[in-house]
Amino acid sequence: MLKILIVDDSRSARALIESHLEKYGPCDHAADGIEAVDLFKSALEDDTGYDVVLMDIEMPEMDGHDAVKKIVEIQEDMGVPYDKRPKIVMVSSRKDPRDIMKAQFEHGADMYITKPFTEKTLIEALVNLDLLDNPIGEPQE
Amino acid sequence: MIQKILDNYTDIKTKHLTIGEGGVFTKPTAVHTVLGSCVAVTFFCRKTQIGAIFHALLPKWSDHEKDEFGINHYKYVDSAINTLCNRFRQKGLTEGDIECKIFGGANAMVEENIGMGKKNVETAFETLTEQKMKITATDVGGKVGRKIVFITSTGEVYAKRLGG
């Protein structure tokens, strides 16, 4: 089972993501970046860290970019090995290339999905991050 | 390696894409390729179930060639995107019909190519935006390469990070 954190200020967006992912594991919700960082930190301290974080960008208090930056800092401070870190998938209606470049090249998000998305796109992202059975297996190249 | 994927599809061909290759696939094909700092963009039209993909090495053709005539368009990100967009338009399809995904652009370990992955991805965004194409997902950057398999008739892309 996966442990999933869904971060979005829209309750309906969180519910939609949960409806697609609840069969893979329990989903916690956060409505802004600050709440997400708090939940993330508590889970790490309790040794029940998340496998994947689905992060919106435009949110009140702390946006998704800053929240991801903070999450990466926390993991570095706590010495979480790179291969044990949760995967971070940005899920945003922002289609500006600058947002995508910033998320993936500067802050280290693993993937970026643009809203509106289909269930297939969401599942494909989790497969490609090896969180669900990846049919490619272990490439030799 | 991709047998597990092919088991789910009947009557599908396979094609290994090397650097500087690309094309439009009207018949169901599993196109696979391995990317480091190179970039692949997949194009999928749900209406016609036609897919297209390229594997480009460098960002812009004009930085390396004097004349666009006669060049390998799939070697450069900008000319590859423009070529495939034109091929779709020749088939009567518009930007609203097509979904694009971007893969690759890892940080190269070879000194002369440092930063090339990022430039390739930047050029992909720039050119797709100019062409008004819809980007649905991106899996770019990072320190390791990726193997990808694109099912041209469904738009699915399976990716796997290599080592790291």
Side-chain angles (χ1 to χ4, degrees):
Chain A
M1 293 292 266
L2 298 176
K3 190 171 178 202
I4 301 160
L5 177 59
I6 303 168
V7 190
D8 200 304
D9 58 333
S10 156
R11 188 192 294 263
S12 58
R14 295 197 304 270
L16 177 69
I17 295 174
E18 179 166 14
S19 70
H20 295 324
L21 300 185
E22 61 190 350
K23 53 184 166 288
Y24 302 109
C27 301
D28 288 343
H29 290 207
D32 62 54
I34 291 176
E35 207 183 320
V37 171
D38 287 346
L39 277 172
F40 186 87
K41 200 173 175 189
S42 307
L44 266 187
E45 284 165 354
D46 297 345
D47 213 15
T48 57
Y50 292 99
D51 297 297
V52 59
V53 180
L54 296 122
M55 181 74 78
D56 183 23
I57 292 181
E58 274 178 276
M59 293 182 291
E61 306 299 332
M62 184 190 282
D63 73 9
H65 285 308
D66 286 341
V68 170
K69 214 170 145 185
K70 195 82 193 154
I71 281 172
V72 171
E73 278 171 18
I74 290 169
Q75 293 177 108
E76 275 162 15
D77 290 349
M78 292 177 77
V80 180
Y82 191 76
D83 60 345
K84 302 280 180 214
R85 295 182 185 188
K87 305 296 184 191
I88 299 174
V89 181
M90 308 304 285
V91 185
S92 174
S93 52
R94 280 202 197 174
K95 295 177 176 68
D96 188 330
R98 284 170 297 189
D99 277 306
I100 305 178
M101 294 296 292
K102 193 172 171 183
Q104 293 214 245
F105 282 94
E106 289 176 35
H107 297 161
D110 295 284
M111 273 188 202
Y112 197 109
I113 293 173
T114 54
K115 291 177 185 171
F117 55 87
T118 61
E119 178 178 3
K120 208 168 165 183
T121 304
L122 198 57
I123 303 303
E124 189 176 283
L126 300 194
V127 167
N128 290 343
L129 289 168
D130 283 337
L131 294 164
L132 301 177
D133 185 30
N134 191 323
I136 292 189
E138 292 301 326
Q140 300 305 307
E141 288 93 339
Chain B
M1 190 185 305
I2 62 168
Q3 194 54 48
K4 206 169 164 185
I5 297 171
L6 298 181
D7 287 346
N8 295 325
Y9 299 90
T10 50
D11 298 329
I12 191 165
K13 294 177 181 177
T14 61
K15 159 81 182 159
H16 178 237
L17 211 62
T18 58
I19 295 172
E21 284 191 320
V24 176
F25 295 82
T26 53
K27 295 201 171 132
T29 309
V31 185
H32 54 104
T33 194
V34 177
L35 303 162
S37 61
C38 289
V39 156
V41 176
T42 64
F43 299 71
F44 175 63
C45 173
R46 204 167 289 280
K47 199 161 76 179
T48 57
Q49 297 178 343
I50 292 174
I53 181 173
F54 66 83
H55 177 157
L57 175 69
L58 297 165
K60 296 184 180 189
W61 70 268
S62 55
D63 292 341
H64 303 273
E65 313 268 358
K66 286 184 183 149
D67 188 345
E68 197 176 3
F69 181 74
I71 67 166
N72 173 6
H73 288 100
Y74 296 122
K75 187 176 171 186
Y76 305 102
V77 175
D78 61 347
S79 53
I81 291 172
N82 291 333
T83 300
L84 291 178
C85 289
N86 289 339
R87 296 273 305 273
F88 275 109
R89 289 193 177 107
Q90 282 162 7
K91 290 179 183 298
L93 300 167
T94 62
E95 53 272 11
D97 298 318
I98 297 158
E99 295 167 14
C100 299
K101 296 176 184 172
I102 310 175
F103 295 86
N107 295 320
M109 294 295 129
V110 187
E111 201 175 336
E112 64 264 31
N113 286 342
I114 285 174
M116 192 56 77
K118 192 174 176 189
K119 279 184 201 153
N120 278 334
V121 176
E122 270 167 352
T123 305
F125 279 124
E126 203 176 287
T127 318
L128 287 167
T129 305
E130 280 165 13
Q131 290 279 1
K132 299 185 170 53
M133 287 290 159
K134 187 167 55 186
I135 300 164
T136 57
T138 70
D139 179 1
V140 295
K143 293 180 181 145
V144 296
R146 294 164 174 86
K147 178 176 174 88
I148 67 165
V149 183
F150 172 46
I151 311 296
T152 63
S153 52
T154 65
E156 290 162 283
V157 184
Y158 297 103
K160 179 92 180 174
R161 283 159 170 73
L162 305 171

